[in-house]
């Protein structure tokens, strides 16, 4: 095993993969070399966000990039089967090689199988409507009346009809397609029609996404004519999925699971595309059997940071609806649904909202986002030229600095004038710099240093100011802090103590329990947040977005990443960097290996 030992000791693979490969090699005896290489391949794949690795692809990487000798794929497969370490689907062992030649860690295979089974079971169950068909149709006509001038409302009506008919409903759509408005109406209809008071909860994967969901729900409720008796049954606060499930310190388990289910009758989850495979599995398993699950999200966005692409897998199946279900919807909702050539009940649980009130596709931001989704190179180049004049020559440091100073001018003024906290946060959200990488000249760390160097001279001094902590510093949590009830992605701003004395305090967005904030010394594992990665921006919305591209051919620069970055903006986007790098990325879809779509839809998916 001299060659394998050299690989495990090299810097070609991560330390976890090397340690795992060494341990399993010792357990596998005569087959140790082949098992070690399989373990390393799976570990490296999951570190990159994949759930599993195709055996043929793993063989090609090991013999090519890593230059390790292996027998032919068939012989390697046979050796792995004989090792006692690599088991078949349904068996228990460190590694699983399934019938489709996908190699998994057992826990990821188990998560995927459990989630697929749970979704298929919920999708198969066409529960009785919450009221008589006549009352359901009456409610749909009141909440979503037919209007030839508002075709977006017809899509929302379909979503509502499905949510009232099934225990599982997936509503996908881009920015401004009315997902949240539809969700508010659906929850109100469920509360109104239910014979018993319905326990409803809503959650999102990150703190800022939960806050946005909460704010959007409040806004929608204010615009809609909801009776007080119904409104009091609707949730008033969003929370993270972790908070909802109840984290256990120093454990990957939660207080709520299949043995201790959540006390809910209906759960709404926003930004579902951000939820990774393990967390989604634990969430679904914690739901009572009778509870309804409504997922909102945009499956075109980036997949979760951790392993999996659950929303994309859900939308990978056949188009259209079963004929029988379409006929049922015609009777229940007076809606004509497209019929597909399939017999999948799970497909009936999905609806895509495509019409947007934010982007009409005539504005540059909307048109560029649609060109990216379509892989339309000509359209991408045309609209990008309007956002980044002569981008192939790059923007000078002076141009970048001017954009930063202009974009954060309102924020600096709000901090200097000691505006109310809500106004300070609103001013901060006018601009965000989005990066592809954390490190490098175009990375988050360097851009934050650049912004701070420009803004610090303009911001006030205060007692306790230092190089790290100063009035106006915006920070983002990098880790969960269960003791302070702060979670990864929570946003805070450093300001003088409003109680007086001039000492610095950190105020977190949406935190209503700590009016005087926290001492900076209590806030650990955070970083400045003037510039953030595109991944960190998911679930957020800003007035203006400044996208800074890396100078190299980054494998992270994909269609999904650029679509996500562009659609974070409400009004304008500016791109700093090489136009050709942008175009190459926009034409390169993200590839993640997973068996979830096949488990949900069959091998045809």
């Amino acid at each position: 095993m001299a060659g394998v030992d050299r690989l495990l000791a090299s810097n070609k693979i991560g330390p976890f993969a090397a340690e795992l490969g060494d341990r399993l090699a010792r357990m596998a005896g005569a087959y140790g070399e082949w098992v070690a290489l399989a373990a390393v391949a799976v570990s490296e794949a999951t570190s990159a966000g994949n759930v599993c690795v195709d055996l043929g692809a793993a063989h090609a990487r090991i013999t090519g990039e890593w230059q390790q000798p292996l027998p032919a794929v068939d012989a390697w497969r046979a050796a792995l089967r004989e090792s006692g370490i690599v088991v078949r689907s349904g068996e228990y062992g460190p590694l699983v090689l399934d019938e489709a030649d996908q190699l998994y860690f057992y826990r990821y295979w188990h998560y995927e199988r459990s989630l697929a089974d749970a979704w298929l079971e919920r999708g198969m169950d066409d529960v009785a409507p919450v009221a008589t068909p006549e009352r359901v149709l009456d409610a749909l006509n009141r909440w979503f009346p037919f209007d030839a001038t508002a075709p977006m409302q017809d899509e929302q009506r379909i979503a509502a009809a499905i949510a009232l008919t099934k225990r599982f409903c997936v509503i996908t759509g881009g920015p401004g397609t009315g997902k949240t408005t539809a969700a508010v109406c659906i929850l109100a209809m469920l509360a109104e029609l239910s014979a018993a008071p319905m326990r409803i909860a809503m959650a999102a994967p990150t703190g800022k996404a939960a806050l946005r969901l909460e704010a959007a729900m409040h806004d929608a409720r204010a615009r809609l004519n909801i009776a007080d008796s119904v409104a009091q049954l609707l949730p008033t606060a969003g929370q993270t999925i972790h908070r909802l499930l109840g984290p256990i310190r120093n454990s990957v388990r939660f207080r709520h699971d299949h043995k201790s289910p959540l006390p809910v009758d209906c759960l709404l989850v926003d930004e579902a595309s951000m939820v990774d495979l393990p967390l989604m599995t634990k969430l679904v398993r914690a739901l009572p059997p009778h509870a309804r699950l409504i997922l909102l999200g945009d499956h075109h966005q980036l997949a979760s940071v951790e392993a999996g692409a659950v929303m994309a897998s859900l939308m990978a199946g056949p188009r259209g609806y079963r004929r029988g279900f379409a006929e049922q919807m015609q009777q229940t909702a007076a809606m004509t649904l497209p019929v597909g050539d399939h017999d999948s009940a799970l497909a009936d649980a999905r609806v895509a909202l495509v019409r947007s009130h934010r982007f009409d596709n005539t504005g540059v931001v909307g048109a560029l986002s649609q060109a990216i989704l379509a892989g339309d190179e000509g359209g991408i180049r045309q609209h990008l030229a309007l956002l980044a004049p002569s981008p192939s020559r790059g923007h000078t440091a002076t141009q970048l600095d001017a954009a930063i100073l202009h974009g954060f001018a309102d924020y600096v003024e709000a901090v200097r004038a000691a505006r109310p906290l809500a106004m300070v946060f609103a001013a901060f959200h006018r601009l965000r710099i989005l990066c592809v990488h954390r490190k490098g000249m175009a990375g988050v760390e360097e851009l934050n240093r650049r912004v701070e160097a420009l803004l610090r001279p303009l911001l006030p001094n205060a007692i306790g100011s230092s190089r790290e902590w100063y009035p106006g510093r915006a920070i983002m949590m990098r880790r969960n802090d269960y003791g302070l009830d702060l979670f990864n992605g929570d946003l805070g701003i450093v300001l003088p103590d409003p109680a007086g004395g001039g000492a610095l305090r950190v105020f977190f967005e949406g935190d209503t329990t700590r009016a005087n904030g926290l001492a900076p010394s209590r806030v650990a594992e955070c970083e400045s947040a003037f510039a953030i990665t595109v991944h960190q921006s998911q679930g957020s919305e800003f007035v203006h977005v400044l996208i800074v591209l890396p100078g190299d051919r980054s494998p992270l620069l994909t269609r999904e990443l650029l679509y996500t970055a562009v659609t974070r903006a409400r009004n304008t986007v500016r791109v700093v960097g090489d136009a050709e790098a942008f175009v190459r990325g926009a034409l390169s879809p993200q590839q993640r290996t997973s068996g979830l779509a096949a488990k949900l839809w069959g091998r045809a998916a």
Side-chain angles (χ1 to χ4, degrees):
M1 290 183 58
V4 174
D5 288 340
R6 284 195 296 272
L7 174 65
L8 299 182
S10 72
N11 61 2
K12 291 183 179 180
I13 62 175
F16 175 80
E19 176 67 19
L20 179 69
D22 182 65
R23 289 192 178 191
L24 293 186
R26 297 176 190 278
M27 294 171 58
Y31 299 100
E33 184 174 359
W34 315 137
V35 170
L37 292 172
V40 168
V42 177
S43 180
E44 293 293 282
T46 55
S47 295
N50 301 291
V51 176
C52 54
V53 63
D54 178 78
L55 195 66
H59 188 281
R61 186 177 189 190
I62 291 168
T63 57
E65 179 183 344
W66 294 340
Q67 298 182 338
Q68 296 295 310
L70 272 179
V73 174
D74 288 346
W76 186 34
R77 183 190 303 109
L80 294 177
R81 296 284 192 206
E82 291 292 326
S83 69
I85 302 297
V86 182
V87 302
R88 300 177 185 274
S89 296
E91 300 174 347
Y92 181 77
L95 301 176
V96 176
L97 181 59
D98 71 7
E99 58 279 1
D101 251 8
Q102 304 284 6
L103 192 60
Y104 292 81
F105 286 133
Y106 174 81
R107 64 189 178 99
Y108 281 108
W109 177 88
H110 183 67
Y111 283 141
E112 202 173 76
R113 182 72 271 170
S114 297
L115 183 59
D117 288 346
W119 275 348
L120 286 168
E121 179 185 357
R122 287 181 177 276
M124 290 286 290
D125 186 15
D126 297 340
V127 298
V130 291
T132 63
E134 292 77 17
R135 288 191 65 204
V136 170
L137 182 58
D138 174 70
L140 287 170
N141 288 336
R142 284 186 287 109
W143 288 99
F144 300 103
F146 290 110
D147 185 348
T149 65
M152 189 170 77
Q153 195 162 274
D154 292 346
E155 296 176 347
Q156 295 171 325
R157 182 183 173 104
I158 294 174
I162 291 173
L164 295 177
T165 305
K166 302 179 77 73
R167 278 191 304 160
F168 186 33
C169 179
V170 184
I171 304 174
T172 182
T177 52
K179 296 189 298 294
T180 306
T181 298
V184 175
C185 295
I186 289 169
L187 297 185
M189 293 169 72
L190 288 169
E192 173 190 314
L193 297 175
S194 178
M198 183 169 285
R199 298 168 299 173
I200 301 173
M202 57 186 190
T206 66
K208 62 179 180 296
L211 284 171
R212 275 202 62 220
L213 172 62
E214 181 179 319
M217 295 290 280
H218 280 293
D219 176 66
R221 287 172 58 170
R223 290 186 288 103
L224 300 170
N225 185 23
I226 302 177
D228 291 341
S229 59
V230 173
Q232 67 183 7
L233 296 175
L234 300 181
T236 58
Q239 57 187 315
T240 64
I241 296 173
H242 281 81
R243 286 189 179 104
L244 176 72
L245 291 175
I248 299 174
R249 189 183 296 272
N250 300 322
S251 173
V252 296
R253 300 178 59 234
F254 294 96
R255 290 196 299 274
H256 291 291
D257 57 18
H258 66 288
K259 296 179 180 178
S260 178
L262 290 162
V264 300
D265 301 308
C266 178
L267 174 62
L268 172 72
V269 179
D270 197 15
E271 298 293 347
S273 65
M274 298 171 61
V275 185
D276 58 61
L277 173 66
L279 185 59
M280 183 65 82
T281 304
K282 293 171 184 177
L283 176 65
V284 172
R285 282 173 60 82
L287 285 175
H290 74 278
R292 297 173 186 265
L293 174 62
I294 302 171
L295 299 182
L296 307 181
D298 183 351
H299 69 287
H300 295 302
Q301 283 190 27
L302 274 170
S304 56
V305 175
E306 304 299 331
V310 294
M311 196 70 171
S313 296
L314 264 175
M315 300 306 296
R319 304 296 93 186
Y321 300 86
R322 290 177 300 164
R323 183 171 301 279
F325 186 78
E327 292 172 353
Q328 179 185 348
M329 287 297 98
Q330 178 67 48
Q331 297 175 0
T332 302
M335 294 293 297
T336 301
L337 272 59
V339 175
D341 184 19
H342 65 84
D343 192 34
S344 171
L346 182 62
D348 297 339
R350 308 170 305 166
V351 59
L353 309 183
V354 297
R355 295 179 174 87
S356 173
H357 66 77
R358 187 196 305 177
F359 301 140
D360 61 4
N361 297 340
T362 60
V364 176
V365 175
L368 177 60
S369 67
Q370 291 305 307
I372 292 171
L373 284 185
D376 176 8
E377 182 175 350
I380 293 169
R381 292 184 182 278
Q382 173 188 348
H383 301 301
L384 179 62
L386 301 175
L387 301 177
S390 304
S392 59
R393 295 194 298 271
H395 283 244
T396 66
T398 301
Q399 289 174 309
L400 179 57
D401 289 351
I404 291 169
L405 287 169
H406 176 74
F408 285 113
D410 288 346
Y411 175 65
V412 169
E413 176 58 27
V415 174
R416 288 175 58 89
R419 304 287 187 207
L421 190 59
M423 295 180 64
V424 174
F425 273 106
F428 179 65
H429 287 316
R430 287 187 60 78
L431 172 71
R432 195 69 82 254
I433 303 170
L434 302 184
C435 305
V436 178
H437 295 285
R438 298 195 56 77
K439 299 185 181 297
M441 293 303 296
V444 165
E445 295 176 1
E446 180 61 32
L447 263 296
N448 273 315
R449 282 192 287 268
R450 190 183 198 103
V451 173
E452 290 179 317
L454 291 168
L455 299 189
R456 276 297 294 274
L458 307 178
L459 293 165
N461 289 317
I463 296 173
S465 291
S466 65
R467 181 178 180 181
E468 182 179 14
W469 298 102
Y470 56 88
R473 184 191 182 200
I475 64 166
M476 179 176 287
M477 295 295 295
R478 290 292 312 280
R479 296 286 186 273
N480 296 336
D481 188 328
Y482 298 118
L484 293 176
D485 199 32
L486 295 175
F487 291 82
N488 184 16
D490 285 356
L491 183 70
I493 291 178
V494 182
L495 296 168
D497 189 343
L504 294 179
R505 309 291 286 180
V506 185
F507 298 87
F508 283 90
E509 191 172 25
D511 187 350
T512 58
T513 62
R514 291 180 286 236
N516 292 324
L518 288 167
S521 60
R522 298 188 63 191
V523 181
E525 297 289 342
C526 67
E527 65 182 0
S528 294
F530 300 100
I532 58 178
T533 64
V534 178
H535 265 292
Q536 290 174 312
S537 76
Q538 286 183 273
S540 297
E541 181 182 282
F542 314 107
V543 180
H544 309 290
V545 162
L546 178 63
I547 303 172
V548 181
L549 301 178
D552 57 351
R553 286 178 173 262
S554 170
L556 299 183
L557 201 59
T558 64
R559 174 176 297 169
E560 290 78 7
L561 181 138
L562 291 172
Y563 170 79
T564 302
V566 168
T567 55
R568 295 312 88 200
R570 283 204 306 271
N571 290 359
T572 63
V573 171
R574 186 171 184 179
V575 178
V576 175
D578 182 6
E580 290 307 310
F582 189 103
V583 173
R584 282 195 304 270
L587 298 176
S588 303
Q590 184 182 42
Q591 301 293 334
R592 278 201 170 176
T593 306
S594 165
L596 182 58
K599 290 179 173 66
L600 292 171
W601 309 108
R603 293 312 306 171

